Amino acid sequence: MSEDEGRHAADSSPDGAFARPDGVDGGFEPQPRSQPYVPPPPTVSPAEQAVFGRPPDAGAFAPGLGERIPPRPTHNPPVPKIFADSFGAGPDAREGFAPLPGTRLHPSGPPTESPWWKSDAVRDPWRDPTSPFWLGRGAIFTGGAPAQVDPDQDAEVSDDLLDESDDEDLEPPDNVRRLRFGLPAFLITLLLALVAGAIGGGAGWFLTKNVDAALHRPDVSIAKVKTPVTRSATSVAGIAKRVGPAVVSILVKTPNQFAIGSGVVIDKDGDILTNNHVIAGAVGTTGASIVVTFSDEATAKAKIVGQDPTSDLAVIKVTNEQLTVAQLGDSDGVAVGDPVIAIGSPLGLQGTVTAGIVSALNRPQHVFSDDGSSDAYLNAIQTDAPINPGNSGGALVNSSGAVIGINSAAALGNTGPGGAQSATTGIGFAIPINYARDIALQLIHTGKALHGSFGAQGKTAVSGVEVGGYIVQISPGGAAAKAGLNTGDVIVAADGHVIHSFDQMIVIAQLHKPGDRISVTYYRKNSATKTTTTVTLD
């Protein structure tokens, strides 16, 4: 393609506007360097010129920039006469200090009136402001010795020290004191120390003997008054004395742990009634043992006669001919407000007695533990006699000394950190002795106990002011299912008792024997009509 054709193609292309001009060959011509822009000086107004400008007749700045300025001496102005008279040297003063160093100056103030300073004593300028003083040299060492205080002596000693600096036997000046401690001074000091020690020792012996005699008197006696105390058989002390030996401490030891509870001796054969959860840890555990400790500190190993987890009761047996058997009373005759005492081994403290009253009766309680050793429903006697861990299985005794209950549990409340449950003081529960006696006889006779079963599970239901036992689950073929009860029914009465919770329904069933018939009144689900049926317990 020719040059003209190429240029024509470039002009017709979209970039033709940026093509090289005609007749231009080679590289681009360099552009001229632009000069920096200098703005013109601002315009000064006449007012500013009159205030800040140079006077009309003034020349250039002097000195000029970079010009060296010659030094000019400065003349001090004369001191005013009043200052010269006040602070200047006196008319007789020589050139320099006035007075000269070493000149003795006599005080001009009044004499001292201090009672601690004697007028005829050598005056010390540091303590007596009216003593003579003089100006001396600084605190320097001259010829190896410090400068003297008196200028005359200082000059003499300095000259002597300078003249005799090479003499090894240089004697110190007369006014330099030197302490000499020879044999006579040592003997005198030793004698004084011995005399002082003898005097001090004698004084100490005398004071010690007299003080000890004043504080300790062997002939003194303290009066003792005999005040006989009459304790009736019905007092707490009398009851504890009679019933205490019948209550024992039970120690259950396993290879991993041990637990302490209580028990009550119920017959001469060595049968002891206690809670099932006290001895449950020894069941089926290799190397476990049960040790019973009596009130006289005698001990004996025990064996399990029978257990009943449903009622949380158990019977163990020991071999011991020296037994005190507890007197079992009638729990049906107990009334709210009756005085009672609890005997047991709380926290391992054997033979502890606490007192209180009966707070409530027929209190349904579901007693259970985390390890599964206790899961029972109790128709309990409530008492405010303190019951603590270790009291379980002990005796609850009335004012006549008869056992009316087996202490089993304490109420739990959310009083610990993070809502943890702990025992609540003043609310404890005991199994009525009439019920416990029946279970104990069954365990002694057969090793097991029978209870009536309702055949249902539930929870407490509250609807307005109505309270009852809500059936959550029915056991197929169980007593409740055979009686026509269904899930969702609410039981409000059973066996002549008003039902306030489902736990109460379970307790009523367990108090009966299998085959017993009880009446049950309930509300059908979504119905306002009461229905009464008869349940035959399994």
Side-chain angles (χ1 to χ4, degrees):
M1 183 173 58
S2 64
E3 182 178 354
D4 293 339
E5 292 176 352
R7 185 180 298 110
H8 177 73
D11 294 341
S12 62
S13 66
D15 298 332
F18 304 99
R20 187 182 300 277
D22 296 337
V24 177
D25 295 329
F28 289 100
E29 292 291 336
Q31 295 292 329
R33 184 180 298 276
S34 59
Q35 298 297 327
Y37 172 75
V38 179
T43 304
V44 180
S45 65
E48 294 176 338
Q49 180 66 30
V51 176
F52 302 102
R54 187 180 299 278
D57 299 335
F61 286 103
L65 296 177
E67 181 179 356
R68 184 179 297 276
I69 302 176
R72 290 178 294 179
T74 301
H75 299 282
N76 295 327
V79 179
K81 186 177 183 305
I82 186 173
F83 293 142
D85 295 341
S86 301
F87 304 103
D92 300 331
R94 303 177 183 177
E95 184 179 358
F97 289 102
L100 295 176
T103 303
R104 186 178 296 274
L105 303 178
H106 294 278
S108 59
T112 179
E113 298 179 359
S114 172
W116 305 102
W117 188 260
K118 297 180 180 180
S119 59
D120 57 347
V122 178
R123 293 183 175 178
D124 184 356
W126 295 104
R127 293 163 47 183
D128 183 8
T130 63
S131 65
F133 58 93
W134 55 87
L135 300 178
R137 292 207 302 266
I140 62 175
F141 285 80
T142 304
Q148 302 301 308
V149 177
D150 193 326
D152 298 333
Q153 297 176 358
D154 184 25
E156 295 175 0
V157 173
S158 300
D159 295 338
D160 295 340
L161 292 177
L162 291 174
D163 295 339
E164 301 176 4
S165 58
D166 297 333
D167 190 357
E168 297 181 355
D169 298 330
L170 180 64
E171 293 292 333
D174 294 339
N175 59 347
V176 177
R177 298 181 179 179
R178 181 173 60 185
L179 179 63
R180 302 176 185 271
F181 194 78
L183 181 60
F186 174 76
L187 295 177
I188 293 174
T189 304
L190 180 62
L191 179 61
L192 292 176
L194 293 176
V195 172
I199 294 175
W205 174 83
F206 176 79
L207 294 176
T208 302
K209 181 179 180 180
N210 286 272
V211 171
D212 183 75
L215 293 177
H216 303 93
R217 294 170 294 168
D219 57 337
V220 175
S221 61
I222 299 176
K224 179 180 179 181
V225 179
K226 293 184 179 181
T227 54
V229 178
T230 302
R231 298 182 179 91
S232 64
T234 58
S235 65
V236 174
I239 295 172
K241 184 177 181 180
R242 288 186 290 114
V243 183
V247 181
V248 299
S249 176
I250 301 176
L251 173 62
V252 178
K253 295 191 296 184
T254 66
N256 298 325
Q257 60 183 359
F258 69 93
I260 297 178
S262 305
V264 180
V265 180
I266 57 176
D267 60 30
K268 284 288 187 181
D269 295 331
D271 292 316
I272 298 174
L273 180 61
T274 184
N275 283 130
N276 178 68
H277 70 265
V278 172
I279 54 90
V283 178
T285 303
T286 303
S289 63
I290 302 174
V291 179
V292 175
T293 303
F294 298 90
S295 60
D296 59 357
E297 302 300 330
T299 60
K301 287 191 175 182
K303 295 183 179 181
I304 298 176
V305 176
Q307 298 175 261
D308 182 30
T310 301
S311 62
D312 193 24
L313 290 171
V315 175
I316 60 176
K317 189 179 185 65
V318 296
T319 301
N320 192 334
E321 297 180 356
Q322 302 295 327
L323 294 175
T324 300
V325 180
Q327 177 185 356
L328 305 185
D330 182 9
S331 56
D332 291 339
V334 177
V336 174
D338 284 350
V340 291
I341 64 173
I343 306 177
S345 303
L347 307 177
L349 304 175
Q350 182 180 354
T352 298
V353 177
T354 57
I357 62 170
V358 174
S359 304
L361 297 172
N362 302 319
R363 185 74 77 187
Q365 288 296 312
H366 184 196
V367 181
F368 59 92
S369 60
D370 295 336
D371 59 1
S373 62
S374 176
D375 188 7
Y377 291 87
L378 309 180
N379 189 37
I381 299 173
Q382 179 179 324
T383 176
D384 66 351
I387 294 178
N388 294 284
N391 269 121
S392 297
L396 186 68
V397 184
N398 62 11
S399 58
S400 64
V403 178
I404 59 171
I406 301 298
N407 300 320
S408 299
L412 297 178
N414 295 331
T415 58
Q421 289 187 323
S422 59
T424 300
T425 303
I427 301 179
F429 302 102
I431 301 174
I433 195 61
N434 288 357
Y435 178 67
R437 182 192 293 108
D438 178 64
I439 299 298
L441 287 173
Q442 294 186 59
L443 295 177
I444 293 172
H445 294 163
T446 64
K448 61 182 180 179
L450 297 177
H451 301 272
S453 174
F454 185 63
Q457 299 294 327
K459 61 182 180 180
T460 301
V462 179
S463 177
V465 297
E466 297 290 338
V467 181
Y470 180 81
I471 298 178
V472 176
Q473 184 178 2
I474 295 288
S475 298
K482 293 177 182 178
L485 294 172
N486 296 328
T487 301
D489 292 346
V490 179
I491 301 173
V492 294
D495 197 31
H497 300 279
V498 178
I499 300 300
H500 296 284
S501 66
F502 198 85
D503 290 351
Q504 186 179 1
M505 183 68 239
I506 298 298
V507 168
I508 291 175
Q510 292 180 358
L511 290 175
H512 288 77
K513 301 296 183 183
D516 289 351
R517 298 164 59 87
I518 60 174
S519 62
V520 175
T521 302
Y522 63 95
Y523 282 101
R524 180 68 67 185
K525 184 178 181 180
N526 300 326
S527 174
T529 304
K530 290 182 180 181
T531 303
T532 300
T533 186
T534 300
V535 178
T536 302
L537 300 177
D538 290 339

